[in-house]
Amino acid sequence: AQAPVVPDSEGGEVRDLFVVARVDKQRAYVNEQILYTFFLYYAVRVSNLNYTPPKFEGFWVEKLQEGEKQYHKIVNGRRYLVVEVSTALFPTTSGTLTIEPSILRLMEITERSFSFFDRGVERMLRSRAVDVEVLPLPTAGRPADFDGAVGEDLELGAKLDRSEVPEGEPITMTIS
């Protein structure tokens, strides 16, 4: 038999586990990095975690090398294990952009779920949507040849690990 699906939303009644989605800034310029973080808080045993991030429409998305963390945190006197997943977002257009909810499906292991046939309760947790106000880049003082790159002293360099190599041998090119 299939386990029942019990919906749970951000801030819902089920406090054994819950999810939250946050951005590090509510207002940014076009192409400015915004850090989107999805948090799972749980104080019960869980398994089969299946995270579905939002589509991030209107953003260029970059996975972070250290995008997932785990730690313990006390919330309202209760100890939770927290799983944190972060993603770097870069808005590609101005206006109010909405980041749709993230969805997490998991199995909550209950005391009755130690038998082979009862695996626990399947839960679907959904974060709230997050709005970000994206401002266009300022036009005052903009050089005539400005092409959208933002930053100071941008440099691109490349080097090879050696200048001579026998045919068919690999070389390493480092771009910085």
Side-chain angles (χ1 to χ4, degrees):
Q2 187 132 40
V5 176
V6 180
D8 183 27
S9 61
E10 185 170 343
E13 305 84 36
V14 179
R15 300 311 289 176
D16 288 339
L17 59 151
F18 60 96
V19 297
V20 177
R22 300 248 188 287
V23 288
D24 66 340
K25 52 186 98 161
Q26 297 288 146
R27 176 184 277 181
Y29 286 98
V30 171
N31 298 329
E32 182 181 0
Q33 178 179 304
I34 298 168
L35 190 64
Y36 173 85
T37 307
F38 175 82
F39 301 88
L40 164 64
Y41 290 79
Y42 63 99
V44 293
R45 292 178 45 209
V46 297
S47 68
N48 300 345
L49 279 72
N50 184 3
Y51 172 61
T52 305
K55 291 181 181 168
F56 297 120
E57 290 183 32
F59 295 92
W60 173 51
V61 179
E62 189 170 308
K63 285 195 165 235
L64 299 173
Q65 194 168 18
E66 295 180 18
E68 188 173 317
K69 299 177 190 171
Q70 256 188 37
Y71 53 89
H72 286 95
K73 185 173 183 179
I74 304 291
V75 178
N76 296 329
R78 187 153 188 201
R79 187 172 190 242
Y80 290 90
L81 183 58
V82 181
V83 177
E84 177 181 313
V85 179
S86 296
T87 306
L89 305 177
F90 300 86
T92 57
T93 185
S94 60
T96 300
L97 300 180
T98 299
I99 301 170
E100 296 301 321
S102 290
I103 297 172
L104 179 70
R105 289 183 174 270
L106 55 79
M107 294 295 290
E108 179 184 354
I109 308 300
T110 62
E111 298 211 7
R112 297 184 306 268
S113 54
F114 290 110
S115 75
F116 180 74
F117 297 104
D118 184 8
R119 297 184 186 167
V121 178
E122 182 178 355
R123 295 204 182 272
M124 183 180 75
L125 298 99
R126 180 186 304 265
S127 67
R128 291 187 179 129
V130 178
D131 287 337
V132 177
E133 182 184 354
V134 182
L135 306 170
L137 293 175
T139 55
R142 180 185 290 183
D145 62 348
F146 178 74
D147 64 0
V150 178
E152 294 182 27
D153 298 325
L154 301 174
E155 291 183 30
L156 179 65
K159 65 179 183 177
L160 301 174
D161 66 339
R162 49 195 163 160
S163 59
E164 292 185 25
V165 63
E167 184 178 334
E169 290 287 315
I171 59 169
T172 300
M173 182 165 89
T174 305
I175 300 175
S176 59

